Amino acid sequence: MVAGVEIHSQVAPQAQTEILTDGALQFIAALHRTFDATRQSLLVAREAAQARLDAGAPFDFPPETAHIRAEPAWHCAPPAPGLEDRRVEITGPTDRKMVINALNSGAKTFMADFEDASAPTFKAMVEGQINLRDAIRRQIDFESNGKQYKLIPNPAVLIVRPRGWHLDEPRVTVDNAPISGSLFDFGLYFFHNAQELVKRGSGPYFYLPKMEHYLEARLWNDVFLFAQSYIGMPHNTIRGTVLIETLPAAFQMEEILFELRNHSSGLNCGRWDYIFSFIKKRRADRSAVLPDRKDVTMEVGFMDAYVRLLIQTCHKRKVAAIGGMSAQIPIKGDEKANEVAMGKVRADKLREVTNGHDGTWIAHPLINKIAREIFDKHMIGANQYHIRREDVRVAAADLLNTKVPGKITAEGVHSNVSTVLAYAGAWLGGNGCIPLNHLMEDAATAEITRVQLWQWVHYGTRDDSGDTITAEYVDKLVDTAIPEVSKAVPSIKDEHLQIVAKYLRSQIRQPWPSEFLTSDLMSYLAAADGVPAKWQRSSL
């Protein structure tokens, strides 16, 4: 055992033996001891920034970095091997079957997700590392129920998304403190696979989530430099694509690229989390109340401005501007409904490629053909860096524009209640990515629904029937929705639905919504993994 490192769960013992080796634990302990104090200080800085916003401070582009935005000469690193053409990227959790199907999907890359598409049980986290290790070495083939799952000769390029800076990994402590989920996921993947990836003509590539400040990007860059030196790898081998999925990050896109410039592979429009952040960060602003979730489309003012600024920023600095997720999945047994759903995918991908995006996200292998056809038709080369979008002029007011056509409907409130119950209930059962109403949903959708319900109750808004949305109004919908969700998703345990119902009732009565549902509910996963109560820091 490594000095100062303790593992507080006995689940998945074989995976632990293979992945949590002394060498790997020494590495993640070194990461923790070097960087966790900075991580903690940045999380405190988030709280201070939110307090300033609540007090009325305006959002704006940072004045201290105006010189970075104004300097035209700096550019980011050239595309790394395998990242030259990213026209279609598929995303999903790291279970063995999903990894094989995604790598075989025909998409250019696969983002293997330890974050929003995964419920971070310890079993899922360590076995996910096993699955990625085996996929890289082409040793992942297996048989299930008489069906063979095998990798094709030229699978998609692998990109890994670790958990965000805010999440702890309570099952592993270093010097009596939980390690960062980010450093745990990144560290194990990098330690076991970085050299092997380079030998195979690829590299250690990452998606970096949930950042709120360019100093958080600087921390990732410092981690990359340390990690490469630790294993004797040349600097600037790693690549990181940053998800712009928080409102503060939208005002700091150039600064984030600048901090990571020698390791950067671009930015991505994390659209669903961005809506969540837009509501949460403007929680004290009554004018930021949004209508039904379905009305907050990519065409509304603040979303369109964010997309145009992201594309302009990336191409100015010669990196990829990746579009967002189409959550639609094929609808079996209803050809008409399926064609409507696939029509929405086509329209979404056409909007992205004609705006200038260099690639897009899909949630299901069968969507690849649609997305690929549209990007192949409209994007002739490997990317669209040459489309500079110099016509774009986005001001702070554009990123804050709350003029969203639509209304708050009784149906929309009910849908939000059902969605947060279903997703969070499944998450407590270890499933972080579930189909709901023919959409593949992850934690971002549950977060939008949660904070919208809080926002509507907090500001006493009315639905389309004229009824004021109160806590009691939502309580009644919770009572109605529980049996509906149980019937629609029978795999969800009743005890988990009751936990989520209690949580939601509490949330809508709080002065402010909590930061993350996943942090709030993490203690239940930790307890299920046998973690002593003293390490269950994230709790209700």
Side-chain angles (χ1 to χ4, degrees):
M1 198 63 185
V2 176
V5 178
E6 293 183 85
I7 300 169
H8 302 283
S9 177
Q10 304 304 313
V11 303
Q14 184 57 39
Q16 285 199 37
T17 298
E18 295 181 38
I19 288 297
L20 301 180
T21 62
D22 282 356
L25 291 176
Q26 287 167 353
F27 177 56
I28 64 172
L31 290 173
H32 173 87
R33 289 166 179 150
T34 307
F35 298 109
D36 196 61
T38 302
R39 176 180 78 102
Q40 297 293 347
S41 69
L42 291 170
L43 294 177
V44 171
R46 287 186 184 182
E47 296 177 2
Q50 183 65 62
R52 291 193 295 272
L53 294 171
D54 293 343
F59 275 99
D60 208 345
F61 300 94
E64 76 272 14
T65 53
H67 63 288
I68 292 174
R69 297 191 298 275
E71 174 54 63
W74 66 267
H75 297 116
C76 294
L83 297 182
E84 299 88 352
D85 186 335
R86 301 170 63 180
R87 64 189 62 215
V88 181
E89 301 191 331
I90 190 168
T91 78
T94 57
D95 62 273
R96 208 163 183 88
K97 180 180 174 182
M98 177 67 204
V99 169
I100 293 175
N101 287 342
L103 290 172
N104 288 351
S105 66
K108 290 289 187 179
T109 77
F110 165 45
M111 187 200 76
D113 194 9
F114 286 103
E115 203 222 8
D116 275 4
S118 292
T121 64
F122 205 46
K123 183 176 188 290
M125 296 296 96
V126 294
E127 289 189 350
Q129 294 282 352
I130 293 281
N131 296 335
L132 299 184
R133 179 202 67 183
D134 290 350
I136 290 164
R137 292 161 177 80
R138 307 298 188 261
Q139 297 171 353
I140 196 174
D141 299 354
F142 77 107
E143 182 179 329
S144 177
N145 297 322
K147 184 176 180 179
Q148 296 282 337
Y149 292 88
K150 295 184 177 181
L151 280 186
I152 60 175
N154 294 298
V157 173
L158 188 59
I159 308 176
V160 169
R161 178 162 69 170
R163 283 167 281 180
W165 284 130
H166 60 287
L167 286 170
D168 289 340
E169 174 43 80
R171 280 78 51 127
V172 178
T173 58
V174 178
D175 304 331
N176 294 314
I179 191 171
S180 154
S182 302
L183 296 179
F184 181 85
D185 299 339
F186 162 82
L188 292 177
Y189 179 75
F190 182 84
F191 181 83
H192 287 292
N193 303 300
Q195 301 284 21
E196 185 68 26
L197 285 160
V198 172
K199 286 180 188 175
R200 293 174 177 269
S202 184
Y205 306 148
F206 298 91
Y207 258 106
L208 308 177
K210 303 286 191 297
M211 281 194 270
E212 298 189 11
H213 198 279
Y214 63 84
L215 292 178
E216 297 179 21
R218 182 179 297 176
L219 176 56
W220 268 120
N221 197 67
D222 290 343
V223 168
F224 291 169
L225 292 170
F226 178 95
Q228 290 164 135
S229 295
Y230 190 97
I231 67 167
M233 174 172 281
H235 284 183
N236 309 335
T237 303
I238 294 175
R239 288 293 186 273
T241 305
V242 174
L243 291 122
I244 300 299
E245 52 187 353
T246 69
L247 185 56
F251 288 86
Q252 301 182 34
M253 291 192 223
E254 292 206 62
E255 292 86 343
I256 287 169
L257 286 179
F258 181 80
E259 294 294 344
L260 283 158
R261 59 194 180 279
N262 292 325
H263 294 110
S264 178
S265 52
L267 304 176
N268 169 284
C269 287
R271 57 174 78 168
W272 309 122
D273 269 304
Y274 189 75
I275 297 169
F276 161 51
S277 177
F278 187 90
I279 298 169
K280 183 176 66 171
K281 291 299 171 185
R282 303 184 68 186
R283 63 191 189 181
D285 185 353
R286 179 182 288 272
S287 72
V289 173
L290 297 179
D292 281 1
R293 179 166 42 105
K294 65 178 174 55
D295 294 326
V296 188
T297 67
M298 297 306 295
E299 287 79 23
V300 304
F302 76 92
M303 295 296 285
D304 179 61
Y306 140 76
V307 167
R308 289 184 292 115
L309 181 59
L310 184 143
I311 294 169
Q312 181 192 56
T313 300
C314 287
H315 292 177
K316 177 181 177 182
R317 305 306 179 183
K318 300 190 185 304
V319 283
I322 306 297
M325 172 65 74
S326 282
Q328 285 80 11
I329 56 178
I331 301 172
K332 296 179 180 179
D334 190 334
E335 187 175 339
K336 185 175 181 180
N338 187 63
E339 185 52 39
V340 170
M342 297 306 101
K344 292 179 179 178
V345 175
R346 291 186 186 93
D348 184 57
K349 302 314 169 193
L350 182 61
R351 176 192 55 77
E352 288 186 325
V353 72
T354 53
N355 268 344
H357 277 297
D358 305 294
T360 190
W361 272 16
I362 59 171
H364 194 285
L366 294 179
I367 305 295
N368 176 65
K369 184 174 183 290
I370 295 172
R372 185 68 178 266
E373 285 176 351
I374 291 171
F375 268 79
D376 285 351
K377 180 178 179 180
H378 296 276
M379 189 173 86
I380 306 304
N383 54 59
Q384 301 194 87
Y385 295 3
H386 59 283
I387 298 179
R388 297 286 298 274
R389 293 307 307 264
E390 291 175 340
D391 57 304
V392 170
R393 297 290 184 273
V394 173
D398 299 314
L399 294 171
L400 301 170
N401 180 3
T402 55
K403 293 179 181 178
V404 179
K407 54 188 176 180
I408 301 168
T409 67
E411 180 183 356
V413 184
H414 182 271
S415 174
N416 277 6
V417 170
S418 297
T419 297
V420 71
L421 285 172
Y423 179 81
W427 190 91
L428 285 171
N431 190 349
C433 188
I434 65 170
L436 286 175
N437 302 314
H438 309 301
L439 299 172
M440 189 60 73
E441 304 289 21
D442 68 8
T445 307
E447 294 287 32
I448 298 172
T449 56
R450 173 178 70 92
V451 295
Q452 273 204 312
L453 290 169
W454 174 88
Q455 186 185 53
W456 293 340
V457 169
H458 185 77
Y459 288 107
T461 52
R462 295 179 182 273
D463 66 16
D464 57 339
S465 299
D467 294 329
T468 301
I469 302 172
T470 63
E472 292 71 26
Y473 175 121
V474 175
D475 287 343
K476 292 178 182 178
L477 288 179
V478 170
D479 292 336
T480 302
I482 286 175
E484 295 172 350
V485 171
S486 292
K487 183 178 180 180
V489 193
S491 60
I492 300 177
K493 293 182 179 180
D494 184 64
E495 64 184 284
H496 292 155
L497 283 177
Q498 294 302 327
I499 289 170
V500 179
K502 180 180 178 182
Y503 170 69
L504 182 58
R505 289 187 172 107
S506 173
Q507 276 288 292
I508 59 175
R509 289 172 166 83
Q510 297 302 313
W512 302 120
S514 63
E515 280 295 293
F516 293 98
L517 173 154
T518 47
S519 297
D520 293 339
L521 299 178
M522 185 65 210
S523 62
Y524 290 99
L525 298 188
D529 284 335
V531 177
K534 65 181 290 188
W535 302 120
Q536 297 173 25
R537 198 173 76 176
S538 299
S539 60
L540 295 183

